[in-house]
Amino acid sequence: MTSTTPRTTSRPLVIASIMASMAMVAIEATIVSTVMPQIASELGGLHLYSWVFASFLLAQTAMTVVFGKLSDLYGRKPIMFVGIAVFVIGSVLAGFSWSMPAMICFRLIQGIGAGAIQPVALTIVGDLYPVRERGKVQGWLASVWAVSAVVGPMIGALIVQKLSWAWIFWVNVPIGLAAAVGFWLFLHEAPAVRRSSIDIVGAVLFTIGIAALMIALTEFGVGNSGVALAWAALFAVTLVLFIAQERRAADPMVSLRLWGARMIAIVNGAAMLAGMVLIGITTFLPMYVQVVLERSSVTAGLTLTMVMLGWPIGATLTSRTFHRIGLWRMVVAGAALIPVGASTFVLLGAGSSPVLPAIGSFIIGLGMGVMSLSSLILIQEGVDLAQRGVATASNVFSRNLGSALGAAFFGAVFNFGLTHSDGRPMFSDEQLRMLLQGMHGSVAGDSAIRLALGGSLHLTFVAMLVVSLGVIALALLLPREGLVESRAVAAGEAAPK
């Protein structure tokens, strides 16, 4: 295992570098979500809208486990350099995008970099700090996402108004360089002493399979059922090969034995569905607020910001109360808040106030904070110490996988709602671009576009509500037996606070 050397490593400056590197990923999420309607209207290809998010999430999900293992082989520092470099290169290229397919390709490169930055950054924290101090540091890292949620939309709106949208990507260059310099100067590692195999075949099969599933969902959403079935067949074949590979791999990408445990399977299943709901909000709420409610991109960003404000509040409440209330109740409570928040989006109409989706976003964020932290503690205390790292990774992996699948699934629902019965789109990309940029056509034409988008987004929000109900359904299936020991351990660790 690779370990850091505290005598020569400046922990505060390394943490500052970690926060800077994670800020790139965090800010990018909120900025891109806020201004993506304008980018899509300018580049064209509205039917590929969700793929801008899905490509990023697919690459990030597939590469997380691979880069985690590479950091064990070659050290945290060089893998973090690789992640930052790839992310910055993808950001520069994304700013030069000339079409939606190009944007999707460059966002995929960004996702590869993010797949290295996030897991390795968390691993460095684990190397540097003992358990009793790690919670405080994780709180600092969580604050990066909260601050980014507030600042990101404002920066995005300002950049779009004053500069080209390309600068929402190029702003990552100085941040990435500063983070890389910090790691170079202040992080010093001991040589790696443990080597492990990397399940490259499993990672490739996983990537192909998930990509095939996402393309199948997208093609189905635009009415190409024949093409969708072909991609679905490829997914089925790849799934069989993936399972066979994971059964025989010495160090599998996904441990089937671990995932087969009832508690792990249920918690990870709930995390996957919650990830789907979260990406659904991130992808489609800004469009609804800007086009249907006719509000500014700043307002749209602020409604989305409430998710990231609710999340740390939920996590903080959980850390203070789970040892008294119990992990099972906390998981169920957090899961129950998600459909409550999702129901507010179904109630939206053309005359609704943006306060309503803001409240819904906050409730979902609160639920995610409660559920994610209590689920993580539950998983870590429910397995042997030797499996704790793998079990923790499986939970993060599940949420990322849910985000990747959710982007494609809700994108398919969205596209389905925008097509006539004969498969023709209800309006062109040029019409949407003119509407977003204030270049209005006829009153009747603009109203028709808003009505069509409102109906399609309403259908998408209904699908989100159905998925969110699956989160609470799975949480209720969690076995109460076997959690008494976890609660006792948690109470013992929480006592000194």
Side-chain angles (χ1 to χ4, degrees):
M1 179 179 177
T2 302
S3 60
T4 55
T5 309
R7 289 177 300 175
T8 57
T9 294
S10 175
R11 296 197 303 181
L13 293 175
V14 170
I15 294 301
S17 301
I18 290 175
M19 293 176 74
S21 62
M22 294 187 72
M24 288 195 303
V25 181
I27 292 178
E28 194 73 354
T30 52
I31 287 183
V32 173
S33 298
T34 302
V35 304
M36 197 58 225
Q38 284 87 350
I39 296 176
S41 66
E42 181 174 326
L43 297 181
L46 182 63
H47 65 286
L48 298 173
Y49 183 90
S50 63
W51 270 95
V52 174
F53 303 92
S55 61
F56 181 96
L57 293 166
L58 171 64
Q60 181 185 22
T61 304
M63 299 307 296
T64 293
V65 176
V66 174
F67 279 122
K69 291 187 177 182
L70 285 175
S71 72
D72 285 335
L73 287 171
Y74 303 108
R76 322 297 186 207
K77 190 172 180 177
I79 301 304
M80 182 60 82
F81 283 152
V82 170
I84 292 173
V86 172
F87 192 90
V88 169
I89 290 172
S91 299
V92 172
L93 293 174
F96 288 109
S97 295
W98 57 90
S99 66
M100 284 291 276
M103 173 67 77
I104 290 168
C105 178
F106 299 144
R107 284 281 288 171
L108 187 143
I109 295 174
Q110 277 190 309
I112 294 174
I117 291 172
Q118 288 191 292
V120 177
L122 295 175
T123 305
I124 292 174
V125 172
D127 291 341
L128 287 175
Y129 290 88
V131 176
R132 65 180 182 276
E133 297 181 46
R134 211 172 296 161
K136 179 175 63 176
V137 178
Q138 295 290 0
W140 296 343
L141 299 183
S143 69
V144 171
W145 289 88
V147 171
S148 299
V150 176
V151 174
M154 298 179 183
I155 294 178
L158 184 63
I159 288 175
V160 170
Q161 291 174 5
K162 303 296 182 182
L163 302 168
S164 165
W165 58 259
W167 284 97
I168 71 172
F169 299 103
W170 294 342
V171 73
N172 291 319
V173 175
I175 300 175
L177 290 176
V181 170
F183 286 120
W184 178 266
L185 294 177
F186 306 116
L187 177 63
H188 305 283
E189 296 181 303
V193 297
R194 185 178 72 85
R195 301 186 68 85
S196 62
S197 61
I198 302 174
D199 184 17
I200 298 295
V201 175
V204 171
L205 287 172
F206 168 81
T207 305
I208 294 174
I210 296 301
L213 177 59
M214 293 167 68
I215 294 173
L217 290 170
T218 302
E219 293 297 332
F220 176 77
V222 296
N224 299 330
S225 57
V227 177
L229 287 174
W231 283 104
L234 175 60
F235 164 72
V237 172
T238 308
L239 177 63
V240 173
L241 295 175
F242 177 74
I243 293 175
Q245 166 64 19
E246 298 309 277
R247 286 184 180 277
R248 70 179 184 85
D251 197 0
M253 178 182 174
V254 175
S255 174
L256 298 180
R257 178 178 299 179
L258 179 70
W259 281 67
R262 180 183 174 187
M263 183 190 69
I264 301 292
I266 290 175
V267 169
N268 286 345
M272 184 180 71
L273 295 181
M276 290 181 67
V277 174
L278 188 61
I279 193 62
I281 299 171
T282 303
T283 306
F284 295 105
L285 181 58
M287 180 182 290
Y288 193 96
V289 174
Q290 290 182 68
V291 179
V292 181
L293 300 186
E294 301 184 52
R295 304 293 177 137
S296 68
S297 59
V298 174
T299 302
L302 290 175
T303 60
L304 189 60
T305 292
M306 300 305 290
V307 173
M308 290 304 174
L309 290 181
W311 194 311
I313 292 175
T316 301
L317 291 174
T318 301
S319 66
R320 294 176 181 272
T321 59
F322 76 87
H323 57 283
R324 296 192 302 270
I325 296 176
L327 292 172
W328 185 89
R329 290 188 180 91
M330 295 302 296
V331 172
V332 171
L337 287 172
I338 295 176
V340 171
S343 64
T344 63
F345 302 117
V346 177
L347 300 175
L348 286 173
S352 298
S353 166
V355 174
L356 182 59
I359 292 173
S361 297
F362 179 81
I363 294 174
I364 289 180
L366 193 67
M368 289 292 295
V370 172
M371 184 179 131
S372 61
L373 183 56
S374 54
S375 296
L376 186 60
I377 297 171
L378 181 59
I379 283 182
Q380 290 177 338
E381 298 302 327
V383 299
D384 296 333
L385 183 61
Q387 293 182 303
R388 185 171 291 177
V390 178
T392 302
S394 74
N395 190 245
V396 177
F397 175 88
S398 298
R399 193 179 306 123
N400 288 341
L401 176 60
S403 295
L405 291 176
F409 173 71
F410 293 127
V413 175
F414 173 71
N415 288 329
F416 178 79
L418 285 180
T419 55
H420 293 286
S421 57
D422 59 0
R424 294 182 298 106
M426 294 183 178
F427 54 85
S428 66
D429 294 330
E430 179 63 19
Q431 288 176 300
L432 178 62
R433 182 188 67 80
M434 292 177 62
L435 183 63
L436 286 171
Q437 294 180 355
M439 301 165 59
H440 300 290
S442 65
V443 175
D446 290 349
S447 299
I449 294 175
R450 297 186 195 279
L451 183 63
L453 268 176
S456 180
L457 289 170
H458 176 76
L459 183 63
T460 306
F461 292 149
V462 170
M464 282 173 44
L465 177 59
V466 172
V467 172
S468 69
L469 291 173
V471 178
I472 181 62
L474 282 175
L476 290 172
L477 292 177
L478 270 176
R480 297 196 188 198
E481 64 274 10
L483 302 188
V484 178
E485 294 83 357
S486 296
R487 183 177 177 181
V489 172
E493 292 180 351
K497 290 184 179 180

